[in-house]
Amino acid sequence: MPAYTQENVTDLVQGHRVHRDLYTSPEVYRLETQHLFRNVWMFVGHDSQTPNKGDYFTTQIADQPIIQVRHSDGEIHVLYNRCPHKGTKIAIDREGNTGKFFRCPYHAWSFKTDGCLLAIPLKKGYDGTTLKETENGKGMKAVGAVHNYRGFVFARLADEGISFEEFFGDSLSSIDNMVDRAPEGRMEVAGPPLRYMHKCNWKMLVENQTDTCHPMVAHESSAGTAVKIWDELGNPEPRPAAMQIIAPFMSAYDFFEGMGIRTWPNGHGHTGVQGSIHSDYDSIPGYFDAMTEAYGADMARAILDENRHNTVYFPNIMVKAPLGQLRNFIPMGADKTLVESYVYRPVGAPDALVARSAMYNRMINAPTSIVGHDDLEMYERAQEGLMSEGLEWVNVQRLYQEDEDFDVEAVENGTTERQMRNQFNAWAKFMTPQPSVPNAEAAE
Amino acid sequence: MTPSRDDLIDFIYAEARMLDEGHFSQWLDLWQPDGIYWMPLDYKQTDPDCITSLLYEDQFMLRLRVERLEGARTFSQKPKSRCHHVIQRPFVDVFEPEENRYQTNTSMHYVETRLDEQFLLALTAVHDLTVVDGALRIANKRVDLLNSDAAFGNIQLLP
Ligand code: FES
Ligand SMILES: [Fe+2]
């Protein structure tokens, strides 16, 4: 394997093909942590996970330990989970309330919930030293910039770089639609995420979110068997929820072709432009009434008629607006990815709606889920297969056109691999140094 | 028929052996038609509806799970997984013959293997049992994994 540098690593992306080292090389992963995951906007958490002052929750942005915390002024801050003294992780619980300050368990340096150094025991010991002028003397380091978009908290690790609005642009319409589905216009996290470990590269999972040519093949064992059993029972109505959720995975190629795929600049895109596998769910009693009361019937209808399937927010989350779900593909190495699958409650909607989302999540995204088994097996086989020296390149040529311009929004046949190429294009873009723009957001 | 405490305990052992030997369809026959298999995600979870679980499945889903294991295109089961339960003597927590209601609480170690991988789960299984036509049946089963909040790879068979 050649040695990769920031200069030559982008040669691994060549239009309709990408080099296998993109998935397998620890060197490429190291460069991703140094450049890609620092330059772009990464998902942190939802603000309902830290509703009160002093509430925090711990997570990771790739290999970086991170704390999301609600400061005394009510704002959400995102800090590196590292003591500026000798490095001890400050917060270990997955969530909690730290009160007015964090206190390091090693030597009791303490910090305000915005990270600023509050106190050091026996402070006199630093008299005459330069501690105050060092970075360590300032406190817990904050990420470069934070943006809370309708409850969803994102961070850019780099101090300077692309703004939140420019990075996401019109792709935010999927988050809008998800949140608009709440009669009160906001979501709340509904319990802990399912956590599922995959021994494969994070990009395989993200690509799969817009891979519409695999469900009827890879999921024949689960969705196909469901359809078969229901047939044997004589297709009695009403369909059980399981059939509504799992059976559409067996839809034919022309269904997925007709669904359409939309791509946006910077690697974002979604399947399901004209309806999706989520369009045919039974209505939930009382829900449309609550939506009508909040928005008026026309607006409510328009919100609910939008049935996008999977929206990829480059680099590593997927949002399912009709189900109030978000999946975070957390890279843990070239060949290891932790998947956290969240369900959110649309505030003001009937319980039955969140119950269906919770059901979808455990049926499709759990380590115990048969549909999840189908997918993980394919990723891990790909990870192993890519170690073969026989072929160097991975093909993403489906419905490829010369001179594709990813800087403009496009809608195409739902089985195109354009969204995957869009992601690789953005990958190469953000693996290179970003033009420095004034850091407006950090001051927010 | 009124089962003895030993009958209840023998039933739990027999169920584990059925799963270990791969007799999944026979295992399905042990269930009441409205029985639910629940594996919570959250420690001490009480709400199975509005909070996601690892598993909360009715007989349709369990049948799907079992038939899938035998399917010709079940790629994640090529080659097949095998499992192994080591169980501690069950506690009989509820013994109410007049109500036809019994409940056992069983500590187990569950081992699953496929190819070169093998993993171990420590768990507590709570069985609600009832007698139908002279035979014990599972009314509901709840499996609490000791590390239910950990990140797992595929868990493909039935703890
Ligand atoms: S390492 Fe945190 S106070 Fe010393
Ligand atoms: Fe899939």
Side-chain angles (χ1 to χ4, degrees):
Chain A
M1 213 173 272
Y4 291 109
T5 63
Q6 199 185 354
E7 284 66 46
N8 68 13
V9 74
T10 53
D11 296 344
L12 298 176
V13 174
Q14 296 187 0
H16 56 70
R17 63 179 198 170
V18 293
H19 196 271
R20 68 187 183 113
D21 287 357
L22 209 68
Y23 302 91
T24 57
S25 158
E27 190 70 9
V28 171
Y29 175 72
R30 195 180 60 79
L31 289 166
E32 287 177 338
T33 62
Q34 282 179 353
H35 304 293
L36 176 68
F37 302 136
R38 292 184 51 75
N39 287 334
V40 297
W41 286 84
M42 302 282 284
F43 177 71
V44 180
H46 193 267
D47 68 4
S48 65
Q49 290 172 271
T50 53
N52 305 308
K53 291 171 187 177
D55 283 352
Y56 69 87
F57 109 96
T58 59
T59 181
Q60 272 183 221
I61 293 179
D63 61 342
Q64 299 300 299
I66 295 287
I67 303 175
Q68 171 185 310
V69 57
R70 177 98 49 181
H71 186 47
S72 45
D73 63 2
E75 286 299 304
I76 289 199
H77 288 250
V78 181
L79 309 171
Y80 290 96
N81 192 355
R82 179 230 200 260
C83 181
H85 180 210
K86 293 181 74 178
T88 307
K89 261 182 154 182
I90 299 284
I92 294 303
D93 285 338
R94 293 211 173 114
E95 57 188 31
N97 184 292
T98 192
K100 285 195 162 53
F101 58 89
F102 287 113
R103 181 176 180 273
C104 179
Y106 199 178
H107 314 93
W109 287 25
S110 60
F111 313 92
K112 292 189 213 160
T113 43
D114 60 1
C116 290
L117 183 65
L118 185 63
I120 295 179
L122 294 173
K123 205 167 175 198
K124 279 213 276 298
Y126 292 99
D127 285 353
T129 73
T130 62
L131 176 70
K132 270 215 181 90
E133 291 113 69
T134 65
E135 252 204 310
N136 308 63
K138 301 207 161 54
M140 292 169 67
K141 193 166 166 53
V143 297
V146 178
H147 193 101
N148 178 347
Y149 187 77
R150 303 196 69 180
F152 294 85
V153 178
F154 292 83
R156 190 188 65 220
L157 298 183
D159 287 336
E160 298 195 334
I162 192 165
S163 72
F164 180 85
E165 284 77 13
E166 192 189 340
F167 182 65
F168 286 120
D170 290 338
S171 72
L172 292 170
S173 54
S174 287
I175 291 182
D176 285 337
N177 181 252
M178 177 157 78
V179 181
D180 289 346
R181 285 168 174 266
E184 292 184 22
R186 66 194 168 90
M187 313 284 274
E188 278 173 5
V189 74
L194 281 160
R195 307 174 76 242
Y196 197 173
M197 196 64 83
H198 288 55
K199 284 187 277 181
C200 67
N201 189 272
W202 63 276
K203 291 186 280 303
M204 285 177 188
L205 285 135
V206 180
E207 281 168 53
N208 187 65
Q209 305 310 306
T210 61
D211 182 318
T212 52
C213 291
H214 87 280
M216 65 299 284
V217 184
H219 299 306
E220 186 184 336
S221 80
S222 40
T225 307
V227 172
K228 188 192 76 138
I229 294 175
W230 196 238
D231 265 352
E232 285 167 9
L233 295 172
N235 297 302
E237 292 288 338
R239 292 174 302 163
M243 280 298 293
Q244 298 188 33
I245 284 170
I246 295 182
F249 282 75
M250 275 312 275
S251 304
Y253 287 114
D254 60 354
F255 173 85
F256 287 101
E257 286 190 309
M259 252 173 50
I261 284 182
R262 176 181 282 122
T263 64
W264 291 288
N266 296 324
H268 318 300
H270 78 93
T271 48
V273 182
Q274 288 91 32
S276 74
I277 66 168
H278 307 309
S279 299
D280 197 24
Y281 294 160
D282 289 348
S283 60
I284 302 260
Y287 179 43
F288 190 71
D289 294 343
M291 288 292 285
T292 302
E293 188 145 326
Y295 296 100
D298 290 349
M299 180 80 165
R301 175 65 59 208
I303 292 167
L304 298 177
D305 278 353
E306 187 75 52
N307 265 298
R308 298 180 185 187
H309 177 201
N310 292 341
T311 301
V312 170
Y313 287 103
F314 182 78
N316 68 328
I317 63 166
M318 182 275 273
V319 156
K320 240 181 213 316
L323 281 163
Q325 299 200 349
L326 183 150
R327 307 186 74 205
N328 191 7
F329 307 104
I330 303 176
M332 315 252 313
D335 57 1
K336 196 172 170 194
T337 306
L338 170 63
V339 188
E340 294 196 331
S341 298
Y342 284 98
V343 171
Y344 305 97
R345 161 189 294 277
V347 180
D351 277 356
L353 196 66
V354 73
R356 177 159 67 199
S357 297
M359 173 187 285
Y360 186 98
N361 205 21
R362 67 176 180 260
M363 277 186 187
I364 311 298
N365 300 327
T368 34
S369 145
I370 55 180
V371 177
H373 297 165
D374 296 335
D375 283 321
L376 177 138
E377 178 71 14
M378 292 308 129
Y379 311 140
E380 293 190 349
R381 281 192 196 187
Q383 191 72 30
E384 290 182 29
L386 287 173
M387 296 312 290
S388 144
E389 300 284 352
L391 280 175
E392 280 186 69
W393 296 90
V394 172
N395 186 290
V396 282
Q397 209 161 2
R398 191 175 169 76
L399 295 170
Y400 174 75
Q401 294 154 4
E402 287 297 328
D403 305 320
E404 283 176 321
D405 181 0
F406 298 110
D407 289 335
V408 294
E409 182 179 320
V411 174
E412 290 190 8
N413 178 306
T415 60
T416 182
E417 286 169 344
R418 178 184 163 106
Q419 169 54 17
M420 299 177 206
R421 297 188 290 274
N422 186 31
Q423 286 160 209
F424 291 119
N425 180 267
W427 184 89
K429 172 174 169 185
F430 290 102
M431 284 291 271
T432 52
Q434 292 300 291
S436 56
V437 292
N439 188 7
E441 320 242 5
E444 270 177 14
Chain B
M1 165 247 194
T2 297
S4 66
R5 284 166 193 267
D6 270 351
D7 290 336
L8 300 176
I9 292 167
D10 287 349
F11 180 89
I12 300 298
Y13 275 89
E15 183 211 2
R17 181 172 176 180
M18 233 173 245
L19 292 170
D20 289 352
E21 293 179 352
H23 303 309
F24 299 112
S25 308
Q26 197 185 338
W27 174 78
L28 274 184
D29 294 338
L30 298 179
W31 283 81
Q32 285 289 82
D34 57 352
I36 298 278
Y37 187 128
W38 185 16
M39 196 189 295
L41 167 66
D42 207 7
Y43 186 63
K44 300 212 163 144
Q45 185 170 341
T46 53
D47 178 354
D49 294 318
C50 293
I51 293 188
T52 282
S53 299
L54 288 162
L55 210 74
Y56 187 76
E57 295 192 350
D58 60 13
Q59 294 305 295
F60 181 82
M61 280 302 295
L62 290 177
R63 180 171 162 196
L64 167 55
R65 189 173 279 279
V66 163
E67 290 202 15
R68 176 184 171 279
L69 288 175
E70 298 299 331
R73 297 208 179 91
T74 305
F75 306 116
S76 75
Q77 282 296 297
K78 290 177 185 299
K80 286 192 190 305
S81 303
R82 295 189 293 272
C83 71
H84 185 69
H85 295 73
V86 178
I87 73 181
Q88 182 172 290
R89 185 177 188 272
F91 296 102
V92 177
D93 284 350
V94 176
F95 190 86
E96 294 175 355
E98 43 314 318
E99 305 286 328
N100 194 8
R101 227 166 63 83
Y102 310 92
Q103 190 183 74
T104 59
N105 176 299
T106 314
S107 297
M108 304 190 194
H109 285 181
Y110 171 85
V111 178
E112 191 176 299
T113 185
R114 180 172 169 264
L115 292 165
D116 291 335
E117 298 290 331
Q118 177 171 291
F119 63 88
L120 167 72
L121 300 172
L123 61 96
T124 302
V126 173
H127 286 75
D128 290 315
L129 301 173
T130 191
V131 175
V132 179
D133 296 336
L136 278 165
R137 290 282 173 265
I138 304 172
N140 286 299
K141 176 174 176 179
R142 171 176 171 144
V143 169
D144 280 281
L145 302 184
L146 185 62
N147 59 345
S148 60
D149 55 353
F152 302 106
N154 277 351
I155 302 173
Q156 297 209 55
L157 302 184
L158 291 150

